[in-house]
Amino acid sequence: MKEDPSSQPARARPVTLATIAGHAQVHISTVSRALSDDPAGIGADTVSRVRELAAALGYRRDVGAAGLRTGSSRLIGVLVPRLTDLVLASIYESIDAAASTAGYGTVVANTLDDPGHRRARLDAMLSRRIDGVIIGDSHSGDTVAHELRGRGVPYVLVMRTLEGHLSVTTDDYRGGQLAAEHLLSLGHRRVGVIAGDQLASTGRERTLGFRRAYEAAGFPLPESYVVASAFSTPSGLEAGAELMRLPEPPTAIFAVHDLLALGAMGAIRDAGKRVGADVALIGYNDLDLAGTLPVPLTSVRSDLAAMGTQSVEALLRIMRGEPTRSVLLPPELVVRATTPPL
């Protein structure tokens, strides 16, 4: 049986700028300016009254239409390798919060560290008329940043660096040095590195800082003791197993990401050794899980929240045409049970 249309409740008419103007007894242009992000030329009392009326009447701003009028979508695009990476998820959380505080939304895309995926995701973002891009997946040889510069799209790199492009990162070279200095102070001379992706500045700089500190101390690392990998726990397990199969396995391992260190823990266990007691281990980023593991992990801390927040602040300055510069946050070594004294 068909329902009688007359029994349906009448659909409420949408509240428009004209509706608010009628209640406020002002011109519609005054309402439009009062509800804008920059209500210049209108008295504070009028702005307050119009906004209170808009809220009381249930007015919802049409962001799409506003974007067409102003040329701004109030959206920031964020490119990350994958949000399953706890480091990137933490950074994105702070990016989204900072953007929201500034009146912007965010659109995030997983690129899987793959050029084809990155191209498709970026094209989709640009089609949405985003106001700027935060790039969290840059690699040596990437063209995305150069392309955005050529197209006049504001952008900033976060976590990773590329020469000639503005970025907000941790001083990863110094972080690698901190890890090396700690292991040297404990007496470790035969050490291994799970080096991550060497096309990413995070893997490259952390490894370089560590190796140079050991070279300076008179204990250069043989190439077989430095294993490149993806940034994942399974990759850490595989690389750690390779190190533990060496004729003389390392007495300590530096993993350039906490997830790699988790994998290395499994490799040390599988080799019949004990983490901390037999093989010292240092991770990087100091994720929340690091201190809660059965054997709490020594890790080099990056301020991920500050990295995300400051990348938004830098991008907004660029969008306003204000001068800005790259930010290099200081790392901090957090010592726990995986690096006891010998």
CSV table of all heavy atoms in Angstrom, one decimal, residues 94-143:
chain,number,residue,atom,x,y,z
A,94,SER,N,48.0,15.5,14.4
A,94,SER,CA,48.3,16.9,14.8
A,94,SER,C,48.1,17.8,13.6
A,94,SER,O,47.8,19.0,13.8
A,94,SER,CB,49.8,17.0,15.3
A,94,SER,OG,50.7,16.6,14.3
A,95,ILE,N,48.4,17.4,12.4
A,95,ILE,CA,48.1,18.2,11.2
A,95,ILE,C,46.6,18.6,11.1
A,95,ILE,O,46.2,19.7,10.9
A,95,ILE,CB,48.6,17.5,9.9
A,95,ILE,CG1,50.1,17.5,9.8
A,95,ILE,CG2,47.9,18.2,8.7
A,95,ILE,CD1,50.6,16.6,8.6
A,96,ASP,N,45.8,17.6,11.3
A,96,ASP,CA,44.4,17.7,11.2
A,96,ASP,C,43.9,18.7,12.3
A,96,ASP,O,43.0,19.6,12.0
A,96,ASP,CB,43.6,16.4,11.3
A,96,ASP,CG,42.2,16.5,10.9
A,96,ASP,OD1,41.8,17.0,9.8
A,96,ASP,OD2,41.3,16.1,11.8
A,97,ALA,N,44.4,18.5,13.5
A,97,ALA,CA,44.0,19.4,14.6
A,97,ALA,C,44.4,20.8,14.4
A,97,ALA,O,43.6,21.8,14.6
A,97,ALA,CB,44.5,18.9,15.9
A,98,ALA,N,45.6,21.0,13.9
A,98,ALA,CA,46.1,22.4,13.7
A,98,ALA,C,45.3,23.1,12.5
A,98,ALA,O,45.0,24.2,12.5
A,98,ALA,CB,47.6,22.4,13.4
A,99,ALA,N,45.1,22.3,11.5
A,99,ALA,CA,44.3,22.8,10.3
A,99,ALA,C,42.9,23.2,10.7
A,99,ALA,O,42.4,24.2,10.4
A,99,ALA,CB,44.3,21.8,9.2
A,100,SER,N,42.3,22.4,11.6
A,100,SER,CA,40.9,22.7,12.0
A,100,SER,C,40.9,23.9,12.8
A,100,SER,O,40.0,24.8,12.7
A,100,SER,CB,40.4,21.5,12.9
A,100,SER,OG,39.1,21.7,13.4
A,101,THR,N,41.9,24.1,13.7
A,101,THR,CA,41.9,25.3,14.5
A,101,THR,C,42.1,26.6,13.6
A,101,THR,O,41.5,27.6,13.9
A,101,THR,CB,43.2,25.3,15.4
A,101,THR,OG1,43.0,24.2,16.3
A,101,THR,CG2,43.3,26.6,16.3
A,102,ALA,N,42.7,26.4,12.5
A,102,ALA,CA,42.9,27.5,11.5
A,102,ALA,C,41.7,27.7,10.6
A,102,ALA,O,41.8,28.5,9.7
A,102,ALA,CB,44.2,27.4,10.8
A,103,GLY,N,40.7,26.8,10.7
A,103,GLY,CA,39.5,26.9,9.8
A,103,GLY,C,39.6,26.1,8.5
A,103,GLY,O,38.9,26.4,7.6
A,104,TYR,N,40.5,25.1,8.5
A,104,TYR,CA,40.7,24.3,7.3
A,104,TYR,C,40.4,22.9,7.6
A,104,TYR,O,40.5,22.4,8.7
A,104,TYR,CB,42.2,24.4,6.8
A,104,TYR,CG,42.5,25.6,6.1
A,104,TYR,CD1,42.9,26.8,6.9
A,104,TYR,CD2,42.6,25.7,4.8
A,104,TYR,CE1,43.2,28.0,6.3
A,104,TYR,CE2,42.9,26.9,4.1
A,104,TYR,CZ,43.3,28.0,4.9
A,104,TYR,OH,43.6,29.2,4.3
A,105,GLY,N,39.9,22.2,6.6
A,105,GLY,CA,39.8,20.7,6.6
A,105,GLY,C,41.0,20.1,6.0
A,105,GLY,O,41.8,20.8,5.4
A,106,THR,N,41.1,18.8,6.1
A,106,THR,CA,42.2,18.1,5.5
A,106,THR,C,41.7,16.9,4.7
A,106,THR,O,40.7,16.3,5.0
A,106,THR,CB,43.2,17.5,6.6
A,106,THR,OG1,42.5,16.6,7.5
A,106,THR,CG2,43.8,18.6,7.4
A,107,VAL,N,42.5,16.6,3.6
A,107,VAL,CA,42.2,15.4,2.8
A,107,VAL,C,43.5,14.6,2.8
A,107,VAL,O,44.5,15.1,2.3
A,107,VAL,CB,41.8,15.8,1.3
A,107,VAL,CG1,41.5,14.6,0.5
A,107,VAL,CG2,40.6,16.7,1.4
A,108,VAL,N,43.5,13.4,3.3
A,108,VAL,CA,44.7,12.6,3.4
A,108,VAL,C,44.6,11.5,2.4
A,108,VAL,O,43.5,10.9,2.1
A,108,VAL,CB,44.9,12.0,4.8
A,108,VAL,CG1,43.8,11.1,5.2
A,108,VAL,CG2,46.3,11.4,4.9
A,109,ALA,N,45.8,11.1,1.8
A,109,ALA,CA,45.8,10.0,0.8
A,109,ALA,C,47.1,9.2,1.1
A,109,ALA,O,48.2,9.7,1.3
A,109,ALA,CB,45.9,10.6,-0.6
A,110,ASN,N,46.9,7.9,1.1
A,110,ASN,CA,48.0,6.9,1.1
A,110,ASN,C,48.6,6.7,-0.3
A,110,ASN,O,47.9,6.4,-1.2
A,110,ASN,CB,47.5,5.5,1.6
A,110,ASN,CG,47.0,5.6,3.0
A,110,ASN,OD1,47.6,6.2,3.9
A,110,ASN,ND2,45.9,5.0,3.3
A,111,THR,N,49.9,7.0,-0.4
A,111,THR,CA,50.6,6.8,-1.7
A,111,THR,C,51.3,5.5,-1.8
A,111,THR,O,51.8,5.2,-2.9
A,111,THR,CB,51.6,8.0,-1.9
A,111,THR,OG1,52.6,7.8,-0.9
A,111,THR,CG2,50.9,9.3,-1.7
A,112,LEU,N,51.5,4.8,-0.7
A,112,LEU,CA,52.2,3.5,-0.6
A,112,LEU,C,53.6,3.6,-1.1
A,112,LEU,O,54.2,2.6,-1.5
A,112,LEU,CB,51.4,2.4,-1.5
A,112,LEU,CG,50.0,2.3,-1.2
A,112,LEU,CD1,49.3,1.2,-2.1
A,112,LEU,CD2,49.7,1.9,0.3
A,113,ASP,N,54.2,4.8,-1.0
A,113,ASP,CA,55.5,5.1,-1.5
A,113,ASP,C,55.7,4.7,-2.9
A,113,ASP,O,56.8,4.2,-3.3
A,113,ASP,CB,56.6,4.4,-0.6
A,113,ASP,CG,57.1,5.3,0.5
A,113,ASP,OD1,57.0,6.5,0.3
A,113,ASP,OD2,57.5,4.8,1.6
A,114,ASP,N,54.7,4.8,-3.7
A,114,ASP,CA,54.7,4.3,-5.1
A,114,ASP,C,54.4,5.5,-6.0
A,114,ASP,O,53.4,6.2,-5.8
A,114,ASP,CB,53.7,3.2,-5.3
A,114,ASP,CG,53.6,2.8,-6.8
A,114,ASP,OD1,54.4,2.0,-7.2
A,114,ASP,OD2,52.7,3.3,-7.5
A,115,PRO,N,55.2,5.8,-7.0
A,115,PRO,CA,55.0,7.0,-7.9
A,115,PRO,C,53.7,7.0,-8.6
A,115,PRO,O,53.1,8.1,-8.7
A,115,PRO,CB,56.2,6.9,-8.9
A,115,PRO,CG,57.2,6.1,-8.2
A,115,PRO,CD,56.5,5.1,-7.3
A,116,GLY,N,53.2,5.8,-9.0
A,116,GLY,CA,51.9,5.8,-9.7
A,116,GLY,C,50.8,6.1,-8.8
A,116,GLY,O,49.9,6.9,-9.1
A,117,HIS,N,50.8,5.5,-7.6
A,117,HIS,CA,49.7,5.9,-6.6
A,117,HIS,C,49.8,7.3,-6.2
A,117,HIS,O,48.8,8.0,-6.1
A,117,HIS,CB,49.9,5.0,-5.4
A,117,HIS,CG,49.4,3.6,-5.5
A,117,HIS,ND1,48.1,3.3,-5.5
A,117,HIS,CD2,50.1,2.4,-5.7
A,117,HIS,CE1,48.0,2.0,-5.6
A,117,HIS,NE2,49.2,1.4,-5.8
A,118,ARG,N,51.0,7.8,-6.0
A,118,ARG,CA,51.2,9.2,-5.6
A,118,ARG,C,50.6,10.2,-6.7
A,118,ARG,O,49.9,11.1,-6.4
A,118,ARG,CB,52.7,9.5,-5.4
A,118,ARG,CG,52.9,11.0,-4.9
A,118,ARG,CD,54.4,11.2,-4.8
A,118,ARG,NE,55.0,10.3,-3.8
A,118,ARG,CZ,55.9,9.3,-4.1
A,118,ARG,NH1,56.2,9.1,-5.3
A,118,ARG,NH2,56.4,8.6,-3.1
A,119,ARG,N,50.9,9.9,-8.0
A,119,ARG,CA,50.3,10.7,-9.0
A,119,ARG,C,48.8,10.7,-9.1
A,119,ARG,O,48.2,11.8,-9.2
A,119,ARG,CB,50.9,10.2,-10.4
A,119,ARG,CG,50.2,10.6,-11.6
A,119,ARG,CD,50.1,12.1,-11.8
A,119,ARG,NE,51.4,12.7,-11.6
A,119,ARG,CZ,51.6,13.9,-11.1
A,119,ARG,NH1,50.5,14.7,-10.8
A,119,ARG,NH2,52.8,14.5,-11.0
A,120,ALA,N,48.2,9.6,-8.9
A,120,ALA,CA,46.7,9.5,-9.0
A,120,ALA,C,46.1,10.2,-7.8
A,120,ALA,O,45.1,10.9,-7.9
A,120,ALA,CB,46.3,8.0,-9.0
A,121,ARG,N,46.7,10.0,-6.6
A,121,ARG,CA,46.2,10.7,-5.4
A,121,ARG,C,46.3,12.2,-5.4
A,121,ARG,O,45.5,13.0,-5.1
A,121,ARG,CB,46.9,10.1,-4.1
A,121,ARG,CG,46.7,8.6,-3.9
A,121,ARG,CD,45.3,8.2,-3.9
A,121,ARG,NE,45.2,6.8,-3.6
A,121,ARG,CZ,45.2,5.8,-4.5
A,121,ARG,NH1,45.2,6.1,-5.7
A,121,ARG,NH2,45.0,4.6,-4.1
A,122,LEU,N,47.5,12.7,-6.0
A,122,LEU,CA,47.7,14.1,-6.1
A,122,LEU,C,46.8,14.7,-7.1
A,122,LEU,O,46.2,15.8,-6.8
A,122,LEU,CB,49.2,14.4,-6.4
A,122,LEU,CG,49.5,15.9,-6.6
A,122,LEU,CD1,49.3,16.6,-5.3
A,122,LEU,CD2,50.9,16.0,-7.1
A,123,ASP,N,46.5,14.1,-8.2
A,123,ASP,CA,45.6,14.6,-9.2
A,123,ASP,C,44.2,14.7,-8.6
A,123,ASP,O,43.5,15.7,-8.9
A,123,ASP,CB,45.6,13.7,-10.4
A,123,ASP,CG,46.9,13.8,-11.3
A,123,ASP,OD1,47.6,14.8,-11.1
A,123,ASP,OD2,47.1,13.0,-12.1
A,124,ALA,N,43.8,13.7,-7.8
A,124,ALA,CA,42.5,13.8,-7.2
A,124,ALA,C,42.4,14.9,-6.2
A,124,ALA,O,41.4,15.6,-6.2
A,124,ALA,CB,42.2,12.4,-6.5
A,125,MET,N,43.5,15.2,-5.5
A,125,MET,CA,43.5,16.3,-4.6
A,125,MET,C,43.4,17.6,-5.3
A,125,MET,O,42.6,18.5,-5.0
A,125,MET,CB,44.7,16.3,-3.7
A,125,MET,CG,44.8,15.3,-2.6
A,125,MET,SD,46.3,15.5,-1.7
A,125,MET,CE,46.0,14.2,-0.4
A,126,LEU,N,44.2,17.8,-6.3
A,126,LEU,CA,44.2,19.0,-7.1
A,126,LEU,C,42.8,19.3,-7.7
A,126,LEU,O,42.4,20.5,-7.9
A,126,LEU,CB,45.3,19.0,-8.1
A,126,LEU,CG,46.7,19.0,-7.5
A,126,LEU,CD1,47.7,18.9,-8.7
A,126,LEU,CD2,47.0,20.2,-6.7
A,127,SER,N,42.1,18.2,-8.1
A,127,SER,CA,40.8,18.4,-8.7
A,127,SER,C,39.8,19.0,-7.7
A,127,SER,O,38.8,19.5,-8.1
A,127,SER,CB,40.3,17.1,-9.3
A,127,SER,OG,39.9,16.2,-8.3
A,128,ARG,N,40.1,18.8,-6.4
A,128,ARG,CA,39.2,19.3,-5.4
A,128,ARG,C,39.6,20.8,-5.0
A,128,ARG,O,39.1,21.3,-4.0
A,128,ARG,CB,39.2,18.4,-4.2
A,128,ARG,CG,38.8,17.0,-4.4
A,128,ARG,CD,38.7,16.2,-3.2
A,128,ARG,NE,37.7,16.7,-2.2
A,128,ARG,CZ,37.3,16.1,-1.1
A,128,ARG,NH1,37.9,14.9,-0.8
A,128,ARG,NH2,36.5,16.6,-0.3
A,129,ARG,N,40.5,21.4,-5.7
A,129,ARG,CA,40.9,22.8,-5.5
A,129,ARG,C,41.5,23.0,-4.1
A,129,ARG,O,41.2,24.0,-3.5
A,129,ARG,CB,39.7,23.7,-5.7
A,129,ARG,CG,39.1,23.6,-7.1
A,129,ARG,CD,37.6,24.2,-7.1
A,129,ARG,NE,37.6,25.5,-6.6
A,129,ARG,CZ,37.8,26.6,-7.4
A,129,ARG,NH1,38.0,26.5,-8.7
A,129,ARG,NH2,37.7,27.8,-6.9
A,130,ILE,N,42.3,22.1,-3.7
A,130,ILE,CA,42.9,22.2,-2.3
A,130,ILE,C,43.8,23.5,-2.3
A,130,ILE,O,44.3,23.9,-3.4
A,130,ILE,CB,43.7,21.0,-2.0
A,130,ILE,CG1,44.8,20.7,-3.0
A,130,ILE,CG2,42.9,19.8,-1.7
A,130,ILE,CD1,45.7,19.6,-2.7
A,131,ASP,N,43.9,24.1,-1.2
A,131,ASP,CA,44.7,25.3,-1.0
A,131,ASP,C,46.2,25.1,-0.8
A,131,ASP,O,47.0,26.0,-1.1
A,131,ASP,CB,44.1,26.1,0.2
A,131,ASP,CG,42.7,26.6,-0.1
A,131,ASP,OD1,42.4,26.9,-1.2
A,131,ASP,OD2,41.9,26.6,0.9
A,132,GLY,N,46.6,23.9,-0.4
A,132,GLY,CA,48.0,23.6,-0.2
A,132,GLY,C,48.2,22.2,0.1
A,132,GLY,O,47.2,21.4,0.4
A,133,VAL,N,49.4,21.7,0.1
A,133,VAL,CA,49.7,20.3,0.2
A,133,VAL,C,50.9,20.1,1.3
A,133,VAL,O,51.9,20.9,1.2
A,133,VAL,CB,50.2,19.6,-1.1
A,133,VAL,CG1,50.4,18.1,-0.9
A,133,VAL,CG2,49.1,19.8,-2.2
A,134,ILE,N,50.7,19.2,2.2
A,134,ILE,CA,51.7,18.7,3.1
A,134,ILE,C,52.2,17.4,2.6
A,134,ILE,O,51.4,16.4,2.5
A,134,ILE,CB,51.3,18.7,4.5
A,134,ILE,CG1,50.9,20.1,5.0
A,134,ILE,CG2,52.4,18.1,5.4
A,134,ILE,CD1,50.4,20.2,6.4
A,135,ILE,N,53.5,17.3,2.3
A,135,ILE,CA,54.0,16.1,1.7
A,135,ILE,C,54.8,15.3,2.7
A,135,ILE,O,55.8,15.7,3.2
A,135,ILE,CB,55.0,16.4,0.5
A,135,ILE,CG1,54.2,17.3,-0.6
A,135,ILE,CG2,55.5,15.1,-0.2
A,135,ILE,CD1,55.2,17.8,-1.7
A,136,GLY,N,54.3,14.1,3.0
A,136,GLY,CA,55.0,13.3,4.0
A,136,GLY,C,55.6,12.0,3.5
A,136,GLY,O,56.0,11.1,4.2
A,137,ASP,N,55.7,11.9,2.2
A,137,ASP,CA,56.3,10.7,1.5
A,137,ASP,C,57.4,11.0,0.5
A,137,ASP,O,57.6,10.2,-0.4
A,137,ASP,CB,55.2,9.9,0.9
A,137,ASP,CG,54.6,10.6,-0.4
A,137,ASP,OD1,54.8,11.9,-0.5
A,137,ASP,OD2,54.0,10.0,-1.2
A,138,SER,N,58.1,12.1,0.7
A,138,SER,CA,59.1,12.5,-0.3
A,138,SER,C,60.3,11.5,-0.4
A,138,SER,O,60.7,11.0,0.7
A,138,SER,CB,59.6,13.9,0.0
A,138,SER,OG,60.1,14.0,1.3
A,139,HIS,N,60.8,11.3,-1.5
A,139,HIS,CA,62.0,10.5,-1.8
A,139,HIS,C,63.0,11.2,-2.7
A,139,HIS,O,62.6,12.1,-3.4
A,139,HIS,CB,61.5,9.2,-2.6
A,139,HIS,CG,61.0,8.1,-1.8
A,139,HIS,ND1,59.8,8.0,-1.2
A,139,HIS,CD2,61.6,6.9,-1.4
A,139,HIS,CE1,59.6,6.9,-0.6
A,139,HIS,NE2,60.7,6.2,-0.6
A,140,SER,N,64.2,10.8,-2.6
A,140,SER,CA,65.2,11.3,-3.5
A,140,SER,C,64.7,11.1,-5.0
A,140,SER,O,64.3,9.9,-5.3
A,140,SER,CB,66.6,10.7,-3.3
A,140,SER,OG,67.1,11.0,-2.0
A,141,GLY,N,64.8,12.1,-5.8
A,141,GLY,CA,64.4,11.9,-7.2
A,141,GLY,C,62.9,12.2,-7.4
A,141,GLY,O,62.5,12.2,-8.6
A,142,ASP,N,62.1,12.5,-6.4
A,142,ASP,CA,60.7,12.8,-6.5
A,142,ASP,C,60.5,14.1,-7.3
A,142,ASP,O,61.4,15.0,-7.3
A,142,ASP,CB,60.0,13.0,-5.2
A,142,ASP,CG,59.5,11.7,-4.6
A,142,ASP,OD1,59.6,10.7,-5.2
A,142,ASP,OD2,59.0,11.8,-3.4
A,143,THR,N,59.4,14.1,-8.1
A,143,THR,CA,59.1,15.3,-8.9
A,143,THR,C,57.9,16.1,-8.4
A,143,THR,O,57.6,17.1,-8.9
A,143,THR,CB,58.9,15.0,-10.3
A,143,THR,OG1,57.8,14.1,-10.4
A,143,THR,CG2,60.1,14.3,-10.9
